[in-house]
């Protein structure tokens, strides 16, 4: 198993909290025909970080940077959950037992499955531990 | 009431004689300072050129940034062992401006405060609560020693904790308070909310920031005081330089202590009575740090009419600044200080905007600064950590809490001509 296969590059965009910023980012994706697979916004005092998993991360990075956005890649992993009551509990418990400390997480429920995207401190170690506890991780290539 | 009637009501010719004597002494004393030796040499002016007080115009101006160049003790005219106290005030960039006092300086300063407080009818029957910063800011200790000198019962309550301030005013039967007008407004509002009254209060001394006649009316009504304007700056000892008498129509500036000129700030031309311009002061009794033609940056004028109280010529209440200095909650802030702090932090860019608002009668300063791309690694905590660092760095230098907003790189206005980075939305106070 190559741990790298499970590490997904999330696009993180620094954005001020003001009207029209999200529309501007979304428009950029549309223009480049970039598909958004998962998405969240974290907000602090007057500014935030827009996080997205997209099918063309490098293109997204390039486009947003050319528009003047402050963009960075962040490594995240995607844990598969059962799309039914108790699905999150099962995975959360597994992560707890595996000693995984999440910095943040967001989830989506798609065609494939319900998915929990998590950002952890030590990503390689987290992948190994989750797999060893019997968790299922989505491979990065699914997103491209 | 007079503290020193003879000095306070000197006839013009006697005053001119005294001023000339003291101006000469000040010149001599300034020659102990390398900066002035050079300045005088460049201007080609010697002691023997001073024959009348108008000869002060032959001397060069001193600007606040000159004092910065002398940090920390470059403007001392006496050995440090003769200095008994140091205060500081905001500098234009980096280091603060240092102000030193000899024993005689402190006595002279307390004497001024004594004159001012006696002038508005205060004395040993009064209980005085001094609600300003007691640290490096000159307002605390300056008023404190002057008030003690005239035998007032002094409460060095300093700033903060409005509940406790209110309690002390009530429990100690305080008759006079000193604070910034904006804090007085805050105090009045809190008291109103809590249905608290101050039957013992009769006098309010307000200074360190400009305030209007409508604010005076409001403060008098809400606090039940007669409100007096107090003017001063640390470079000229501190508060006490000029003060309102019972007429409350202009400030009596103490001409035996301060040689006053009003100039056109652009050309340096000396203006006449009634003409508005920048106040330039040559202190006549400063020992540790004599200054020559110090440009205060404050805009006022010399009033033509005499005063019913019989004291010397007044200046109008300060209406603004001839430079870009801001007064935030009584603290002087130069935009250049903010710029200096931001330039020292690699995490942020060097473009910034400053907004000043008044919320609940207190000034709030918020600063927008651009993120440096290199320091954003995709995490929200990158941003919050940098934000906290900027807030702390600004607080360390300005001694003022500000709110800082990180904005996207390239999003702030770029100025081609004169940058307008400060938006003051406070309106008239």
């Amino acid at each position: 198993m190559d741990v790298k296969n499970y590490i997904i590059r999330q696009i993180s965009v620094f954005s001020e909290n003001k009207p029209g910023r999200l529309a501007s980012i979304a428009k950029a994706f549309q223009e480049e025909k970039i598909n958004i697979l998962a998405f969240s916004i974290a907000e602090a005092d007057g500014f935030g970080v827009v996080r997205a998993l997209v099918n063309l991360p490098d293109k997204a990075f390039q486009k947003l940077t050319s528009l003047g956005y402050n963009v960075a890649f962040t490594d995240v992993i995607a844990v598969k959950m059962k799309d039914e009551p108790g699905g999150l509990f099962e995975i959360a418990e597994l992560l707890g037992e595996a000693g995984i400390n999440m910095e943040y997480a967001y989830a989506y429920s798609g065609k494939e499955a319900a998915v929990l995207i998590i950002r952890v401190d030590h990503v390689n170690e987290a992948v190994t531990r989750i797999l060893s506890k019997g968790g299922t991780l989505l491979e990065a290539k699914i997103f491209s | 009431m007079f503290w020193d009637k003879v000095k306070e009501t000197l006839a013009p010719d006697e005053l001119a004689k005294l001023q000339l004597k003291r101006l000469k002494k000040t010149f001599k004393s300034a020659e102990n300072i390398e900066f002035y030796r050079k300045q005088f040499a460049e201007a080609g002016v010697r002691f023997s050129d001073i024959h009348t007080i108008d000869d002060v115009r032959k001397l060069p101006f001193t600007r606040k940034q000159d004092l910065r160049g002398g940090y920390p003790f470059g403007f001392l005219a006496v050995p440090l062992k003769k200095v008994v106290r140091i205060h500081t005030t905001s500098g234009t960039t980096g280091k603060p401006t240092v102000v030193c006092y000899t024993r005689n300086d402190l006595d002279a300063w307390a004497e001024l405060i004594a004159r001012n407080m006696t002038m508005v009818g205060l004395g040993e029957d009064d209980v005085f609560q001094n609600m300003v910063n007691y640290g490096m800011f000159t307002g605390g200790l300056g008023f404190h020693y002057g008030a003690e000198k005239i035998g007032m019962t002094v409460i060095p309550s300093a700033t903060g904790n409005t509940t406790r301030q209110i309690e002390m005013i009530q429990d100690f039967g305080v008759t006079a308070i000193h604070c910034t007008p904006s804090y007085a407004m805050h105090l009045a509002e809190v008291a109103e909310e809590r249905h608290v009254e101050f039957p013992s209060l009769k006098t309010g001394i307000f200074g360190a920031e400009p305030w209007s006649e409508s604010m005076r009316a409001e403060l008098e009504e809400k606090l039940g005081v007669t409100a007096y304007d107090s003017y001063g700056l640390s470079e000229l000892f501190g508060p006490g330089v000029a003060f309102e008498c019972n007429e409350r129509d202009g400030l009596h500036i103490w001409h035996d202590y301060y040689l006053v000129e009003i100039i056109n700030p652009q050309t340096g031309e000396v203006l006449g009575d009634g003409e508005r311009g920048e106040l330039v002061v040559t202190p006549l009794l400063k020992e540790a740090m004599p200054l020559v033609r110090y440009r205060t940056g404050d805009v006022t004028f010399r009033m033509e009419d005499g005063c019913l109280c019989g004291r010397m010529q007044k200046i109008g209440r300060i209406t603004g600044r001839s430079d870009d200095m801001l007064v935030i909650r009584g603290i002087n802030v130069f935009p250049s200080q903010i710029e200096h702090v931001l330039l020292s932090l690699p995490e942020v860019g060097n473009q910034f905007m400053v907004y000043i608002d008044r919320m609940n009668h207190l000034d709030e300063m918020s600063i927008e600064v651009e993120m440096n791309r290199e320091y954003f690694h995709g995490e929200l905590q990158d941003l919050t950590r940098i934000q906290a660092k900027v807030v702390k760095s600004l607080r360390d230098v300005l001694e003022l809490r500000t709110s800082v907003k990180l904005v996207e790189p390239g999003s702030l206005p770029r100025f081609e001509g004169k940058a307008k980075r400060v938006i003051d939305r406070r309106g008239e106070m």
Side-chain angles (χ1 to χ4, degrees):
Chain A
M1 171 212 69
D2 189 353
V3 168
K4 293 267 176 299
N5 292 342
Y6 301 103
I7 296 176
I8 302 160
R9 285 190 302 162
Q10 169 191 275
I11 283 271
S12 304
V13 189
F14 168 45
S15 173
E16 285 168 57
N17 187 2
K18 62 186 185 191
R21 293 320 274 161
L22 179 57
S24 153
I25 294 169
K27 181 163 177 269
F29 286 168
Q30 183 211 32
E31 281 171 4
E32 297 297 315
K33 299 191 170 39
I34 294 166
N35 195 22
I36 304 166
L37 303 150
F39 174 85
S40 90
I41 297 178
E43 205 267 337
D45 187 12
F47 51 78
V49 177
V50 174
R51 300 162 176 156
L53 297 189
V54 297
N55 64 340
L56 303 167
D58 288 311
K59 204 167 179 185
F61 185 97
Q62 247 172 18
K63 175 70 176 181
L64 290 173
T65 304
S66 76
L67 290 173
Y69 278 98
N70 202 166
V71 194
F73 282 122
T74 312
D75 290 339
V76 294
I77 49 181
V79 193
K80 199 168 170 179
M81 301 184 284
K82 288 187 191 130
D83 194 0
E84 60 183 42
L88 175 61
F89 172 61
E90 189 188 339
I91 295 306
E93 197 177 35
L94 183 147
L95 294 173
E97 281 169 6
I100 308 288
N101 191 25
M102 281 181 275
E103 280 180 36
Y104 58 80
Y106 52 103
Y108 73 91
S109 178
K111 282 172 292 204
E112 312 284 324
V115 178
L116 183 67
I117 317 268
I118 56 178
R119 164 78 173 150
V120 295
D121 266 342
H122 305 288
V123 64
N124 292 342
E125 200 183 321
V127 167
T128 318
R129 284 206 212 164
I130 291 166
L131 293 176
S132 73
K133 286 275 173 194
T136 310
L137 291 171
L138 299 189
E139 287 192 37
K141 65 179 182 226
I142 296 179
F143 292 89
S144 50
Chain B
M1 280 201 291
F2 288 90
W3 175 253
D4 182 351
K5 188 163 184 182
V6 175
K7 287 277 164 52
E8 293 176 46
T9 59
L10 275 179
D13 56 330
E14 286 175 273
L15 176 63
K17 233 161 76 185
L18 182 64
Q19 285 179 321
L20 179 61
K21 189 178 120 198
R22 290 181 172 175
L23 176 62
K24 287 180 170 175
K25 196 174 168 204
T26 298
F27 186 97
K28 276 275 180 220
S29 156
E31 284 186 315
N32 291 324
I33 298 165
E34 195 194 345
F35 171 83
Y36 281 122
R37 279 198 301 274
K38 277 191 192 152
Q39 291 274 96
F40 295 160
E42 270 171 40
V45 56
R46 293 198 189 127
F47 182 74
S48 56
D49 295 325
I50 313 246
H51 307 292
T52 73
I53 47 172
D54 285 342
D55 289 331
V56 74
R57 297 177 190 182
K58 296 173 180 168
L59 305 179
F61 293 116
T62 309
R63 290 176 174 76
K64 194 172 178 73
Q65 53 266 40
D66 296 326
L67 299 184
R68 175 179 177 264
Y71 182 89
F73 298 130
F75 276 80
L76 259 192
V78 299
L80 192 57
K81 66 178 176 188
K82 294 289 175 199
V83 170
V84 295
R85 195 192 301 163
I86 294 172
H87 279 284
T88 60
T89 180
S90 49
T92 46
T93 52
K95 299 284 189 185
T97 299
V98 179
V99 194
C100 298
Y101 303 77
T102 63
R103 168 58 51 202
N104 287 337
D105 285 333
L106 289 184
D107 289 345
W109 185 19
E111 190 73 12
L112 279 189
I113 300 284
R115 280 187 193 179
N116 294 323
M117 294 183 101
T118 307
M119 176 165 72
V120 299
L122 297 171
E124 58 185 12
D125 294 329
D126 288 288
V127 181
F128 173 60
Q129 189 158 316
N130 197 19
M131 300 187 285
V132 295
N133 183 306
Y134 261 73
M136 302 308 282
F137 177 61
T138 47
L141 291 176
F143 263 93
H144 185 97
Y145 286 105
E148 281 188 354
K149 189 166 188 131
I150 65 168
M152 295 174 90
T153 305
V154 183
I155 304 162
S157 68
T159 52
N161 199 343
T162 303
T163 301
R164 183 88 188 102
Q165 301 276 12
I166 289 173
E167 201 175 275
M168 287 194 286
I169 294 173
Q170 293 184 309
D171 295 352
F172 298 150
V174 168
T175 61
I177 54 171
H178 169 229
C179 59
T180 61
S182 47
Y183 185 72
M185 208 62 207
H186 177 70
L187 183 78
E189 295 230 316
V190 175
E192 210 168 55
E193 271 167 31
R194 299 180 191 173
H195 306 290
V196 167
E197 284 184 10
F198 303 120
S200 61
L201 263 192
K202 58 172 191 171
T203 304
I205 297 167
F206 306 121
E209 56 191 23
W211 50 297
S212 66
E213 288 301 322
S214 61
M215 183 119 174
R216 187 196 312 260
E218 213 176 331
L219 285 172
E220 294 194 334
E221 202 239 306
K222 288 191 162 157
L223 291 169
V225 295
T226 306
Y228 298 94
D229 192 5
S230 157
Y231 172 75
L233 56 157
S234 301
E235 296 91 322
L236 308 180
F237 287 149
V241 174
F243 214 87
E244 284 180 331
C245 67
N246 288 324
E247 299 299 318
R248 295 184 298 145
D249 176 27
L251 301 152
H252 285 288
I253 187 161
W254 303 108
H255 298 276
D256 55 330
Y257 273 64
Y258 302 110
L259 189 57
V260 173
E261 296 171 273
I262 304 290
I263 65 159
N264 175 330
Q266 270 81 50
T267 61
E269 174 205 358
V270 177
L271 304 176
D273 285 358
E275 291 183 283
R276 201 176 284 277
E278 180 179 347
L279 174 68
V280 171
V281 176
T282 304
L284 299 171
L285 275 177
K286 283 191 81 196
E287 235 178 34
M289 268 183 62
L291 292 170
V292 173
R293 300 188 91 195
Y294 187 68
R295 293 189 59 160
T296 65
D298 290 314
V299 174
T300 180
F301 63 98
R302 261 197 310 245
M303 295 175 73
E304 287 164 276
D305 295 334
C307 187
L308 289 175
C309 80
R311 291 180 180 83
M312 309 171 195
Q313 190 177 31
K314 290 187 285 195
I315 55 170
R317 299 183 68 198
I318 308 301
T319 50
R321 294 282 305 175
S322 62
D323 60 12
D324 58 359
M325 188 182 89
L326 304 162
V327 182
I328 313 288
R329 296 200 289 273
I331 297 171
N332 298 344
V333 175
F334 290 91
S336 52
Q337 289 177 286
I338 298 169
E339 183 167 30
H340 193 77
V341 170
L342 297 177
L343 284 174
S344 72
L345 300 171
E347 297 91 340
V348 294
N350 50 17
Q351 299 292 329
F352 67 97
M353 287 296 292
V354 178
Y355 298 93
I356 303 152
D357 294 284
R358 183 164 292 124
M359 292 163 178
N360 302 323
H361 302 288
L362 293 177
D363 299 333
E364 295 294 335
M365 184 162 76
S366 48
I367 291 163
E368 288 184 353
V369 62
E370 292 180 358
M371 249 321 269
N372 178 345
R373 288 177 183 282
E374 311 299 314
Y375 285 83
F376 174 63
H377 307 299
E379 302 299 342
L380 192 63
Q381 70 217 43
D382 295 343
L383 304 170
T384 51
R385 200 180 48 240
I386 291 167
Q387 184 188 35
K389 184 175 175 185
V390 177
V391 168
K392 184 181 182 303
S393 305
L394 285 168
R395 195 183 54 221
D396 287 349
V397 169
L398 306 178
E399 290 173 56
L400 192 69
R401 177 180 44 77
T402 58
S403 68
V404 168
K405 189 183 166 203
L406 294 178
V407 300
E408 294 167 29
S411 66
L412 290 178
R414 265 60 178 166
F415 297 96
E416 295 200 352
K418 190 172 159 47
K420 178 140 183 53
R421 300 188 189 283
V422 178
I423 312 283
D424 195 335
R425 299 186 285 216
R426 287 178 290 188
E428 204 197 40
M429 189 150 122

